[in-house]
Structure formats: C-alpha cells, structure tokens
Amino acid sequence: MKMKKVLSAGLLCLASLTVMAQLPVEVKGLLKKKRLSAVKLFKVKDGKAVEIANSTPAEKGQFGFLFYPEYEGLYVIGTGNEGSPNDNYKFYFKGGEELSLNLLDSSYVLTGKKNSKENTVLSQWHDLTNPLEQKAINFMKVQSTFVDYFPQQEEIVAKSKTFLNGKATGNVNFDKEIKSIMSWDLACYATNFLNTPRSAHPSVEEYSNFYSTLKTTDFAKTTENVYRYPYGFRTLTGLISLNMRQDGKAYKRGPEGVDLMASFVPNDTLKGDLILDNAAGYKTITEYEALIKGREKYILTKRQADRSAAIMNPLLTYKPGTDAFNFAYEDKNGKQVTMASMKGKVVLVDVWATWCGPCRAEIPYLKKLEEEMKGTDVQIISLSTDAVKDKEKWQKMIKDENLGGLQLFAGGPENEFSKYYKVNTIPRFLVFDKQGKIVTVDSPRPSNPELKALLQKTLAN
C-alpha cells in the first residue's frame, strides 16, 4: 500500500517532541469514490479547519498520513476544503492512535480492529446524525425542505439525549468534550439548513422546537468553546443569524450590521473576530478605518492584531493627506509618546537601529538638521527598531553619542509602525504635517539637502 508520510515541520519534527504528542498518529485509508482526488488532513485553529497535509491516493485509492498531533482534540480528514464541512469528517487524536477508514461518496466507515474508543464513538455519532448532515450540508446532492427535515431533526435530537449511555471511553478529556462536539454538530446542521438554498423556506413561526433551544450566548461564552470545533466560527455566525430572525432584527450592512451581530456575543475576543471577519471583505482603507474606529477594544490578542494588520496593509495607499498611524512608544525615560501628541508640529520620523551602519552614517547630518530647524515647529523623532534585549545598548548609545531629538523605542523590527508603513530596510525617513497627515513615507535622508527643503515647505504650508 502506498502511504504518504507527512514529514513537514510542525507535523513530524523529532526535535519538537517536547511540545508535541510523544507518539505519532497513523492513518490508513481507502478513497472509495467515483473520482479520486487528494485527501486532506486539517487541524483546528480558532474555530476553523486549517489544512496541514494532503495525500494523493494510489491507483486503488490507498492514502495515508503519519503525523504528531499538536494538541489533543478534533482533527478533520476528507476531500473537501477548509471553509466547509462538505466531504470532511471529524476524528479525535491525542497521539498513538491508528485510524483505518474508507472514505465514501458522502460518508465514511471505520475498518480494521485498532481504531480508538474515541473515534469509534465519533463514528457512531456520525452514523446517527448522518441523515441531518446529508440534508443540511450536502444539500446540493440531497434535496430537502423543512417539511421533511424538521421532523427528522427532532427525532435525532431526542435520541442524542441518551446517545452517550454506556459509551464512556476512559479518556476523561474526550468524555467531557464529546458533549460539546455533539451540541456543535447539531447546531451546525440546524443553522446550515436554514442558511442554504431550498425550494421552500419556513417562517420563524414554523421552526421546529429545537431551534428555540439554540442561543448564541450558550455557545460563545468562551473562545475555547468556539475555537476547538472545526466549524466553530461558521456555526457561530449561523447561530447569530438564527437569533436575529427569532428576535425580528433585520440584517444590516457595514459597521452598524457588525455591531448588531456582535451584540449577540458575550465574549469580547469573539466580538473582535466577528469584526475582523467582516473587515476581510473591505476594498478600501476608508471602509476599514470606519469599521475599526471605536471598536479597537475588541482587538485583544496578538493573533487579532496581526490579522488586522494583514487586512489593513494591502489597503493602505500612503497618499499625502491621509492620516498618520497613531503610534504609542516609550521614550528613553519610559514616558509614553503618541503621534497624536505631535499635532501642531511637522514631524520627521527616522526609523533606525544601533546595529545599522547606514543609520549611524546619517546621525551627523541628522544632528545638523536638528540644529538648523531649532526654533521651528519641526519635531524629529528617532524610532529605534532594536530588539528588546538590546534596549540597554540603545540607551547607552543615546548617551554616548549625545543623540538629540525625541528618542523612542519600538521594540524590534516587527513593531506596529514598521508593519504599517512596510519598513523593510533602514534607515527610513517619513514626514508628517502639523495636522498629523502624511507628507511622504519615504523622504530623502538628512544627508540630502532636499529633506531640509521639504521640511521648510511643509512648515510654510
């Protein structure tokens, strides 16, 4: 049997065993579909399925994976994509499992005798709920309306209440998490059914009883609850849409619509995720800034800050007259200085580092420029991108070289200012007017007389 063994960093890295499971997971399978296609392995990250490997089946459909799981919990295997549950199936790994299965056209079956108790229970749960999955998820293949779906949903929901009787696996983590998985699955199917094309759609009054039990607040109390389910974020937005209909609230576009959706979510970090998911579809920096303004308090984690920058940066034009990035960094005495506090002054920002030869070569010219601009409304800011570990070296150089201007410490080359203005090489000089607007984000260097002329022109304007 031909089996692709995934050896990429992060999947099979012997040097990383101290932070990963100590035993690998081995997956052996047959793709028994009419058309062979790549079988994919997904991990779960922040409530979404993220592809980490794929296996091209052999001529008879054999495929496989060998990997060290990054965490104990759900993983996904199937022929679908990251954004949808279609043709993807959930399995539970902690390390040391062997999984044998056949992937069918619209389902899967376990094979062999070495499948874990956890995956056996998941397979039994899948068998029970598969009729709902077919109608709600594979709706393009299985035509269904609420007339036949709702009664079947109520029947399976009723059976789910006793499903776990006698099914304890001995894995305390799984036996606790399976209850959450079951709740998320049922909510996923129920909301996806309502939000996909049908030949007939029910009114809110026609919803079956199960829908009255689905409350966004119950599912979104913690980020972990949402983040551990492969389609947690997709299902969360489905629950919000359901609750909006039940409350008679109409869908709205733009920031007002985002606020309405966020009002159903009790967790601030998840509110931030909703905001960023909406922002990902924006086409202009003006739209993005209008959405983010006043909602920055929900961008709480580094992951969210990085995602915000990834969405925003391609939209930036850096056109003269657009607002400057409102940074906030400490000076040499530990006092925080912001760009907003510079209003009323023409600002020259020098992005540099102590180790940078070309940066140091500009220092004499920068000192001369500072002397020539003395008595004017020009503020020179030297923004160090030295690593945090080199902060003392930066402070020593300020003293030894008698550096003037306003000395600020950004804390490493990956600081927010450098990311915002895409500063990939230093030194880099940027000029802003008295209103805090961009003049240029790539000005001449102090050694070039054109910089002084630019500052004087900006002062005059």
Side-chain angles (χ1 to χ4, degrees):
M1 177 179 130
K2 178 183 177 183
M3 181 173 72
K4 180 175 180 179
K5 296 185 178 181
V6 183
L7 302 175
S8 60
L11 288 179
L12 188 55
C13 181
L14 295 177
S16 302
L17 288 184
T18 56
V19 294
M20 300 171 74
Q22 298 301 305
L23 294 171
V25 169
E26 185 174 4
V27 179
K28 298 178 181 178
L30 282 176
L31 182 63
K32 304 185 77 173
K33 289 191 170 191
K34 296 176 183 176
R35 188 176 67 178
L36 294 183
S37 59
V39 179
K40 303 163 189 174
L41 171 66
F42 305 84
K43 69 178 181 180
V44 181
K45 184 177 181 181
D46 302 331
K48 298 179 181 179
V50 178
E51 183 180 336
I52 54 176
N54 65 77
S55 176
T56 301
E59 185 177 347
K60 294 184 179 180
Q62 304 99 318
F63 70 88
F65 299 99
L66 180 67
F67 73 103
Y68 285 98
E70 296 179 26
Y71 55 85
E72 178 177 348
L74 289 180
Y75 290 77
V76 175
I77 297 173
T79 57
N81 56 48
E82 291 184 337
S84 170
N86 290 69
D87 299 317
N88 287 332
Y89 308 102
K90 297 177 290 293
F91 301 96
Y92 191 95
F93 300 126
K94 62 181 182 294
E97 293 91 351
E98 293 183 23
L99 177 70
S100 299
L101 75 162
N102 290 342
L103 289 180
L104 312 177
D105 273 324
S106 297
S107 187
Y108 79 90
V109 293
L110 296 183
T111 59
K113 298 180 180 180
K114 293 185 179 181
N115 291 298
S116 68
K117 292 180 180 179
E118 295 93 332
N119 286 322
T120 299
V121 170
L122 279 176
S123 178
Q124 292 167 350
W125 171 247
H126 174 264
D127 291 342
L128 174 63
T129 58
N130 193 43
L132 301 183
E133 182 175 356
Q134 294 308 310
K135 293 179 178 180
I137 305 300
N138 292 326
F139 60 91
M140 296 296 288
K141 300 177 183 177
V142 181
Q143 300 301 310
S144 173
T145 70
F146 69 96
V147 176
D148 62 89
Y149 181 80
F150 284 175
Q152 193 166 37
Q153 178 172 257
E154 295 301 317
E155 179 185 345
I156 290 174
V157 167
K159 290 180 179 179
S160 73
K161 299 184 186 306
T162 58
F163 170 76
L164 290 176
N165 291 351
K167 291 186 173 65
T169 66
N171 181 338
V172 176
N173 294 332
F174 175 82
D175 290 343
K176 179 180 177 181
E177 189 164 353
I178 183 60
K179 299 173 184 177
S180 175
I181 294 168
M182 290 167 60
S183 295
W184 278 100
D185 276 351
L186 292 173
C188 177
Y189 302 149
T191 54
N192 206 78
F193 185 87
L194 293 180
N195 293 329
T196 44
R198 307 285 164 184
S199 59
H201 290 274
S203 65
V204 173
E205 292 72 26
E206 292 175 302
Y207 287 176
S208 65
N209 293 335
F210 179 58
Y211 287 100
S212 65
T213 70
L214 296 176
K215 304 297 180 185
T216 304
T217 51
D218 294 336
F219 286 83
K221 290 177 182 177
T222 67
T223 55
E224 183 181 19
N225 197 25
V226 177
Y227 287 174
R228 287 181 65 82
Y229 185 71
Y231 309 102
F233 203 79
R234 174 191 173 108
T235 304
L236 178 64
T237 58
L239 287 164
I240 293 171
S241 296
L242 167 65
N243 292 164
M244 283 175 59
R245 289 187 206 129
Q246 291 169 327
D247 289 357
K249 298 185 183 298
Y251 171 78
K252 296 180 180 179
R253 293 181 177 275
E256 188 179 3
V258 173
D259 288 341
L260 176 59
M261 293 183 69
S263 69
F264 287 85
V265 177
N267 183 281
D268 283 352
T269 303
L270 294 174
K271 288 179 190 284
D273 288 339
L274 280 172
I275 290 167
L276 292 173
D277 250 43
N278 188 273
Y282 282 17
K283 302 298 183 184
T284 69
I285 189 63
T286 302
E287 288 180 311
Y288 177 82
E289 290 176 341
L291 175 65
I292 294 298
K293 188 175 182 180
R295 300 172 183 85
E296 300 92 339
K297 61 184 178 181
Y298 299 124
I299 310 302
L300 296 171
T301 67
K302 183 180 184 302
R303 175 189 61 78
Q304 289 177 323
D306 289 345
R307 189 180 179 201
S308 177
I311 295 170
M312 175 183 63
N313 287 347
L315 302 178
L316 292 170
T317 60
Y318 309 114
K319 289 181 180 179
T322 55
D323 289 335
F325 172 65
N326 187 26
F327 60 75
Y329 295 117
E330 290 186 355
D331 66 12
K332 61 183 180 181
N333 298 314
K335 180 183 176 182
Q336 192 173 80
V337 177
T338 66
M339 182 64 189
S341 69
M342 296 292 108
K343 201 163 186 179
K345 294 182 180 293
V346 172
V347 178
L348 169 65
V349 178
D350 165 24
V351 185
W352 74 296
T354 58
W355 50 263
C356 170
C359 301
R360 297 172 72 119
E362 290 294 324
I363 289 176
Y365 299 101
L366 191 61
K367 286 183 175 180
K368 180 182 177 184
L369 181 64
E370 182 184 15
E371 184 65 28
E372 292 172 343
M373 292 289 106
K374 187 175 291 185
T376 70
D377 288 328
V378 171
Q379 177 63 64
I380 297 175
I381 296 176
S382 292
L383 186 67
S384 167
T385 61
D386 284 289
V388 174
K389 65 181 180 64
D390 294 325
K391 190 172 184 178
E392 289 185 6
K393 184 188 295 184
W394 165 71
Q395 290 174 323
K396 184 176 185 299
M397 185 170 175
I398 292 173
K399 184 178 180 180
D400 292 348
E401 298 289 337
N402 192 28
L403 301 182
L406 191 55
Q407 298 289 333
L408 303 183
F409 191 77
E414 293 298 312
N415 64 82
E416 290 182 340
F417 187 93
S418 295
K419 285 183 179 179
Y420 188 93
Y421 291 111
K422 302 176 184 174
V423 178
N424 299 316
T425 59
I426 54 176
R428 173 91 164 264
F429 294 86
L430 306 87
V431 177
F432 305 92
D433 67 18
K434 292 182 178 182
Q435 286 72 46
K437 308 288 185 181
I438 292 174
V439 175
T440 175
V441 297
D442 194 7
S443 77
R445 296 182 180 186
S447 56
N448 186 335
E450 291 181 8
L451 176 56
K452 179 181 178 182
L454 176 61
L455 294 174
Q456 291 173 326
K457 180 180 178 181
T458 305
L459 278 170
N461 291 339

